[in-house]
């Protein structure tokens, strides 16, 4: 088997954390009635930026990477405050932020999946860890804000994009492809799927019971319908 641990430079990891924290602050800024103070915004930013990685390391039974460096917490908190202060600017940069966010999801998915594989987890649990790493921060954010969890509702394609990317990484790993190439492929696929979903409004079908699915019925011509009424 090829080496299974995919690593990225610290500055790229911190940039991904900062993007997540900025988006967390921008999301919290929509709730004007909540009256968040600076500490509240910083906590939400830390949760979104670091939540997925914290959940990943807890699932894998290790010390969270965010607690092994002095950089992660200040970067996440500072980026959240920056997102709050410059919210109008970041709103105008919407498509650019969406693109960066898509890359971030791909990076987190690749890191989570490869780390699980490196610790000897089977393929499907490794895929699960990758998805949790990618979307865990936003799920924790929604629980903190007491709003419906976005990744569980129609209109969100975060988890599916991360799932496709993580699954592809696992398949390439099983085919003995170099882990770096497999991880980069995961990032690209996840990023493209997330951007296309945002552009074209992709989503999974809404839940419904079997009996509520549309039924195909033979169309009755108007002339035939009139004859039936006449005979009646």
């Amino acid at each position: 088997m090829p080496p299974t641990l995919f690593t990225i430079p610290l500055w790229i990891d911190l940039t991904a954390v900062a993007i997540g924290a900025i988006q967390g602050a921008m999301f919290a800024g929509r709730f004007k009635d909540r009256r968040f103070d600076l500490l509240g915004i910083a906590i939400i930013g830390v949760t979104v930026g670091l939540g997925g990685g914290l959940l990943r390391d807890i699932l894998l039974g290790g010390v969270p990477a965010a607690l092994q460096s002095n950089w992660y917490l200040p970067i996440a908190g500072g980026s959240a405050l920056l997102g709050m202060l410059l919210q109008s600017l970041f709103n105008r940069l919407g498509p650019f932020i969406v693109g960066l966010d898509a890359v971030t999801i791909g990076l987190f998915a690749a890191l989570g999946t490869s780390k699980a594989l490196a610790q000897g987890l089977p393929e499907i649990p490794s895929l699960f860890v990758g998805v949790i790493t990618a979307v865990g921060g936003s799920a924790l954010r929604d629980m903190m804000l007491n709003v419906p969890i976005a990744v569980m509702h129609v209109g969100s394609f975060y988890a599916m994009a991360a799932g496709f990317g993580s699954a592809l990484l696992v398949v390439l790993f099983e085919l003995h492809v170099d882990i770096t190439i497999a991880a980069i492929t995961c990032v690209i696929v996840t990023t493209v799927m997330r951007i296309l979903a945002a552009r074209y409004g992709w989503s999974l079908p809404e839940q419904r019971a079997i009996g509520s699915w549309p039924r195909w019925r033979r169309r009755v011509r108007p002339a035939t319908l009139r004859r039936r009424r006449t005979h009646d």
Side-chain angles (χ1 to χ4, degrees):
M1 282 288 183
T4 55
L5 187 57
F6 171 63
T7 58
I8 60 176
L10 178 62
W11 69 270
I12 295 181
D13 199 11
L14 292 175
T15 301
V17 168
I19 294 170
I22 289 172
Q23 285 213 318
M26 292 173 61
F27 185 85
R30 303 175 187 174
F31 300 89
K32 302 297 184 182
D33 59 320
R34 304 290 180 91
R35 301 182 63 187
F36 292 112
D37 60 13
L38 297 181
L39 178 60
I41 293 295
I43 291 175
I44 293 172
V46 169
T47 300
V48 178
L50 301 177
L54 290 173
L55 291 175
R56 173 200 66 204
D57 294 332
I58 290 173
L59 288 173
L60 297 179
V63 178
L67 302 182
Q68 299 183 42
S69 170
N70 288 323
W71 287 102
Y72 287 93
L73 291 171
I75 290 293
S79 298
L81 296 178
L82 187 65
M84 177 195 68
L85 295 173
L86 301 179
Q87 183 171 1
S88 60
L89 173 62
F90 287 123
N91 285 335
R92 289 196 295 269
L93 297 175
F96 179 68
I97 297 295
V98 169
L100 290 179
D101 180 57
V103 176
T104 298
I105 294 172
L107 283 172
F108 285 162
L111 289 169
T113 305
S114 65
K115 190 168 186 177
L117 289 170
Q119 294 202 13
L121 267 65
E123 291 78 9
I124 293 179
S126 296
L127 188 158
F128 173 75
V129 172
V131 174
I132 290 297
T133 307
V135 305
S138 62
L140 291 175
R141 172 204 66 197
D142 294 341
M143 287 188 284
M144 289 181 64
L145 295 174
N146 195 27
V147 297
I149 299 176
V151 297
M152 298 173 62
H153 288 262
V154 174
S156 172
F157 214 71
Y158 283 91
M160 289 303 302
F164 275 110
S166 298
L168 183 58
L169 191 156
V170 170
V171 170
L172 293 176
F173 167 75
E174 290 298 318
L175 295 176
H176 304 280
V177 176
D178 181 79
I179 190 60
T180 301
I181 297 176
I184 291 175
T185 304
C186 168
V187 174
I188 293 174
V189 169
T190 303
T191 300
V192 171
M193 288 191 65
R194 172 56 190 151
I195 291 176
L196 291 177
R199 174 65 178 83
Y200 296 106
W202 292 353
S203 65
L204 292 178
E206 185 176 353
Q207 64 85 24
R208 59 179 64 183
I210 294 178
S212 64
W213 286 93
R215 297 178 180 177
W216 293 99
R217 296 180 178 179
R218 183 171 61 87
R219 292 184 177 180
V220 180
R221 294 180 179 179
T224 304
L225 184 59
R226 284 195 299 269
R227 285 199 299 269
R228 288 180 180 178
R229 290 177 179 174
T230 302
H231 289 302
D232 292 340

